[in-house]
Amino acid sequence: MADLLFNVRNSFYLGAYNTVINEAADLDNLNEVDSIERDCFVYRSYIALGSYDLVISEIRDSAATGLLAVKLLAQYLSNKKSKDDVMATLADWLGDSACNRNSMVLLVAGMIHAHEGNYPEALKACHGSNNLELQALCVQVYLKMDRPDKAEAQVKSMSAVDDDATLTQLATAWVGQALGGAKVQEAAYVYQELGEKYNYTASLYNGRAVCYMKMGRWEDADHDLQEAFNKDAKDPDTLSNLISVGLHLGKNVARYQTQLKMVAPTHPNSKRLEAADEAFARAAASIA
């Protein structure tokens, strides 16, 4: 039986969010379960593109649980709902047997807890599932915890479910980057193969660029990041990586620094830049 949502799902994982929105518009006559999954990917794509208000306004309070979870994610990321209210809602859902088996509820719970740095709770939400996206989130959490050994074991579990799946391939690359050595080159090949098999996205170019940076191939990294910038000039990871590579190559990165602070003020590099600006201003004031 054909997987009608394959292209939508796959495009989302590759970071081709506009493609998700466009392809989903042509998918009619789906059953209820597939319709909800399609809509979840569409609204998650809008979240990835920063269109939080659209998601919040379009998903009604009477929507399916999975969609309500996506709406909560938008409310959390846009600060339209207090952190306490978000956490209380998650606790209610995870304590409700009708909700706590819903993969989108578990995924959003894991994502929000991971964003808060509460890794044990994030793992509790996404651990022990055969769902590849939940397993991929586990991989990301383990890497944030500096446990590449655990992440590698999780990738083996993903491979047992579907070795050829895009998410399994991406998770393999993430772990390869963390392990270092020859694994970094293998990770670069993964991003290249996915780009050639489907289409290169800003996300894939960034992935390969990070590999090149780890290998000291700064010019190659810069080339990939310029390609990523051409795909999406507002992508925070692209801007952040362009700053890192530009500094190594002795380039003027002021434009990228300004853009990053504008499009992603909460990005870790934006916060570092802001702190540096404040320190410079204090030093200048003391000299004056």
Side-chain angles (χ1 to χ4, degrees):
M1 186 176 172
D3 181 357
L4 298 175
L5 291 175
F6 175 81
N7 286 338
V8 165
R9 198 181 293 116
N10 205 56
S11 295
F12 181 82
Y13 299 147
L14 293 169
Y17 303 118
N18 285 311
T19 303
V20 173
I21 294 163
N22 292 333
E23 292 212 0
D26 297 328
L27 285 177
D28 297 320
N29 303 319
L30 298 175
N31 62 39
E32 186 183 5
V33 172
D34 285 347
S35 293
I36 293 168
E37 186 178 357
R38 173 200 62 198
D39 292 348
C40 283
F41 278 114
V42 167
Y43 286 122
R44 288 173 67 194
S45 295
Y46 278 119
I47 288 174
L49 294 168
S51 299
Y52 305 119
D53 290 344
L54 181 148
V55 177
I56 294 166
S57 65
E58 286 198 7
I59 298 178
R60 297 181 179 178
D61 291 339
S62 58
T65 304
L67 285 165
L68 291 177
V70 175
K71 181 175 183 175
L72 185 71
L73 180 63
Q75 291 170 322
Y76 166 75
L77 292 172
S78 63
N79 295 314
K80 292 289 169 65
K81 198 180 182 89
S82 75
K83 193 184 296 184
D84 288 345
D85 285 348
V86 170
M87 293 305 179
T89 301
L90 285 179
D92 287 344
W93 284 347
L94 294 173
D96 183 344
S97 60
C99 295
N100 61 18
R101 289 191 294 272
N102 185 296
S103 59
M104 190 52 59
V105 168
L106 294 172
L107 184 67
V108 168
M111 290 167 73
I112 290 175
H113 282 304
H115 198 269
E116 287 293 316
N118 192 350
Y119 301 135
E121 286 300 316
L123 287 173
K124 198 183 294 183
C126 60
H127 200 265
S129 170
N130 278 338
N131 179 294
L132 280 180
E133 203 168 359
L134 286 170
Q135 292 198 50
L137 180 58
C138 277
V139 172
Q140 291 178 325
V141 172
Y142 283 133
L143 292 176
K144 285 179 182 291
M145 296 169 69
D146 292 323
R147 292 298 306 269
D149 55 324
K150 290 273 193 183
E152 192 172 25
Q154 188 70 59
V155 170
K156 286 178 182 173
S157 297
M158 293 176 73
S159 295
V161 176
D162 189 345
D163 194 38
D164 293 326
T166 293
L167 264 183
T168 305
Q169 296 301 308
L170 286 171
T172 301
W174 302 336
V175 172
Q177 285 171 304
L179 290 172
K183 294 284 186 183
V184 177
Q185 180 67 71
E186 291 173 21
Y189 286 141
V190 169
Y191 291 118
Q192 183 170 325
E193 285 170 8
L194 288 172
E196 290 172 356
K197 184 176 182 180
Y198 302 108
N199 273 313
Y200 276 101
T201 60
S203 178
L204 290 177
Y205 277 126
N206 269 283
R208 191 170 65 175
V210 170
C211 294
Y212 286 151
M213 289 159 71
K214 283 178 174 283
M215 291 188 281
R217 291 169 57 180
W218 299 100
E219 294 285 356
D220 290 331
D222 188 54
H223 174 269
D224 272 9
L225 291 169
Q226 293 298 338
E227 293 289 345
F229 185 80
N230 291 337
K231 293 273 184 187
D232 183 359
K234 293 182 178 178
D235 179 66
D237 290 335
T238 301
L239 294 168
S240 178
N241 287 329
L242 276 168
I243 293 166
S244 298
V245 170
L247 290 172
H248 268 273
L249 294 175
K251 291 187 174 185
N252 185 342
V253 296
R255 177 165 62 100
Y256 300 133
Q257 291 174 328
T258 302
Q259 273 183 275
L260 181 62
K261 285 189 280 188
M262 285 175 63
V263 302
T266 59
H267 191 280
N269 264 6
S270 289
K271 291 179 177 177
R272 279 195 284 272
L273 289 169
E274 195 173 328
D277 287 346
E278 288 173 1
F280 181 79
R282 283 196 301 273
S286 66
I287 293 168

